[in-house]
Amino acid sequence: MTTKILKIDKTVDKYEAELKYAAEIIKNGGLVVFPTETVYGLGADGTNPEAAKRIYEAKGRPSDNPLIIHIADPSDAEKYTFTTPLYYKLAKHFMPGPLTVILKAQQSIPNETRANLSTVAVRCPANPIARMLIKYAGVPIAAPSANLSGSPSPTNAEHVIDDMMGRVNMIIDGGDSDFGLESTIVKIEDDDSVTLLRPGKITAEELKAVCGKVTVSSAVTEALKEGEIALSPGMKYRHYAPKSPVFLLDGALNNCIEYIKSIFGDKNIAILAYTSDFREIKEKLPHAYLYEFGDKENEELQAHTLFNILRDADKRDFDAIFAPLPRREGIGLALYNRMIRAAAYQIIRM
């Protein structure tokens, strides 16, 4: 397949013809990668079962991993789902933006898009390129992250080109993603409570301030149990992971350094280091390749850079990658969720 690359910026009015051309690809069953404020999405017509199958094929993604449909306006969910007052309450506070809500699906969304579930995940992105593309397509765009299944999600077009060139019809290069981790996913339960299935920029604390009762699913911090159904993307399989093994370290800096020395000696390793720890690690582990992970308190910067670091690490063939274990509050919970999956739950506690 020949892949066309379209480079545009967020002044979408200048690119009406180009975005209408991309929308025609979607309407005709093709695949278009597009930017969002979280990560890049691999898009196809969410009402077209054959197009949904092409997404799974392009990613090498298991077909029991449901897709998110992207809409141009929160009210468009009426066409594809059974909305509730709580959905509109969440939409008023967080949409357009990095929130995905799981609702009961209408028959307009085929089984191939929703992985045979009775529900479908709905998101209205804030990125103007994404919203204009959806508007011109006139259909909900089903779009997981535009990476090969299991690898770190793409936060710029270079990442997408590495994974998707020759697998999709078009890649829209809209620059770097603003946030860098996928959207927050919640499910509205029958009792009008909310279950947090995947944390993101919109935190559990922010959700509680709007809708009261929020339960954090055990799948956020633990692996799914045998036979448990994945209700949203990112729950079931090893995700966000580079080729090299990743280990998360939980303990005082000196203890972590001594552990690395004793177990990995002079092997080819990488370390994600907080700015305050950078000099000490460099002095005590001079052979290690260090990635500066920002200030310990600056979790937004860590979120923005995490996948970029993991993708760079993929090119360097490390024997192991080490990173600090994030906290489990605020945006830290989103980092924790992505990093324990990248590490296949390998946490070293000192």
Side-chain angles (χ1 to χ4, degrees), residues 84-91 94 99-103 184-198 202-218 220 231:
T84 69
L86 184 52
Y87 165 77
Y88 279 107
K89 190 174 184 180
L90 289 166
F94 301 118
L99 179 68
T100 297
V101 181
I102 294 179
L103 298 166
T184 299
I185 299 180
V186 299
K187 182 175 184 289
I188 295 177
E189 305 293 354
D190 291 339
D191 64 357
D192 245 13
S193 65
V194 166
T195 301
L196 176 61
L197 298 176
R198 183 177 74 186
I202 296 168
T203 65
E205 294 81 0
E206 289 173 320
L207 290 165
K208 286 174 185 175
V210 170
C211 52
K213 185 180 178 182
V214 176
T215 302
V216 178
S217 169
S218 61
V220 168
L231 297 176

Side-chain angles (χ1 to χ4, degrees), residues 64-66 105 109-111 114-120 229-232:
D64 62 348
N65 202 1
I109 301 300
N111 283 329
R114 48 191 164 98
N116 293 312
L117 299 174
S118 63
T119 56
V120 67
I229 295 172
L231 297 176
S232 78

